């Protein structure tokens, strides 16, 4: 397991859960500290265990933290602005999704976690995962197109 690659993915996972860079960094570090200090060394299960730790820490944290606001020095010039606007749109669409749908999309499409691992992390069957991903993707696309989930 490549720790640096997993560190970035766990950070991204945490960030999309708590929407605060500093807190996401803290949660990521805590995830790896708990992982390293645990006796859980079963081969092939480390990634699942990392995400399980991160998920539980994020759930605890999200109960007590508000979202980070857009920086005031935001500028709308050049390509960087287009990327920033797109990133904001994606974040807003993800925020409107139920927590579990958001988590599934982040795990699968942002962090490229294998389906079998997601099934274990979320404690659902492969059939249920396919179904939930299908509906989560549909809802996300609807939100990105400017729609409303309850239309």
């Amino acid at each position: 397991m490549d720790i640096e690659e997993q560190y970035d993915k766990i950070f991204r996972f945490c960030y999309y859960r708590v929407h605060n860079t500093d807190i996401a960094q803290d949660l990521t570090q805590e995830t790896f500290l708990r992982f390293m200090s645990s006796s859980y060394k079963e081969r092939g299960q480390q990634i699942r265990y990392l995400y399980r730790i991160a998920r539980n820490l994020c759930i605890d944290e999200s109960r007590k933290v508000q979202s980070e606001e857009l920086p005031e020095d935001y500028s709308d010039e050049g390509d960087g602005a287009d990327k920033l606007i797109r990133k904001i749109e994606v974040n807003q669409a993800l925020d409107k999704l139920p927590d579990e749908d958001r988590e599934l999309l982040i795990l699968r499409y942002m962090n490229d976690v294998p389906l079998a691992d997601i099934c274990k992390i979320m404690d659902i069957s492969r059939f249920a995962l396919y179904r939930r991903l299908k509906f989560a993707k549909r809802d996300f696309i609807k939100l990105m197109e400017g729609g409303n989930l309850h239309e």
Side-chain angles (χ1 to χ4, degrees), residues 6 9-10 12-14 16-17 47-48 50-52 54-55 94 99-115 117-124 129 133:
Q6 292 307 316
K9 289 181 177 184
I10 295 293
R12 190 172 35 236
F13 176 78
C14 291
Y16 279 101
R17 291 294 305 254
I47 293 173
R48 294 177 191 162
L50 270 174
Y51 277 105
R52 181 70 67 164
R55 182 174 188 243
L94 284 171
D99 287 342
E100 286 191 4
D101 289 351
R102 180 180 333 118
E103 192 172 324
L104 285 172
L105 292 175
I106 291 168
L107 286 170
R108 183 65 188 140
Y109 299 107
M110 293 178 148
N111 289 354
D112 294 321
V113 176
L115 293 172
D117 291 343
I118 296 173
C119 289
K120 298 281 186 184
I121 292 166
M122 302 295 289
D123 196 27
I124 58 177
L129 175 62
L133 275 172

Side-chain angles (χ1 to χ4, degrees), residues 15-72:
Y15 177 78
Y16 279 101
R17 291 294 305 254
V18 298
H19 304 289
N20 183 303
T21 305
D22 294 332
I23 294 171
Q25 288 173 343
D26 291 344
L27 292 173
T28 304
Q29 289 176 1
E30 182 65 24
T31 297
F32 279 90
L33 285 173
R34 289 185 185 190
F35 176 76
M36 296 299 194
S37 66
S38 75
S39 60
Y40 192 85
K41 303 296 180 207
E42 191 173 326
R43 283 191 147 303
Q45 305 293 318
Q46 291 100 347
I47 293 173
R48 294 177 191 162
Y49 187 55
L50 270 174
Y51 277 105
R52 181 70 67 164
I53 294 169
R55 182 174 188 243
N56 289 337
L57 288 171
C58 289
I59 288 170
D60 292 344
E61 186 64 35
S62 67
R63 291 180 181 146
K64 60 183 176 180
V65 174
Q66 295 294 329
S67 294
E68 187 176 77
E69 296 295 322
L70 180 65
E72 289 187 28

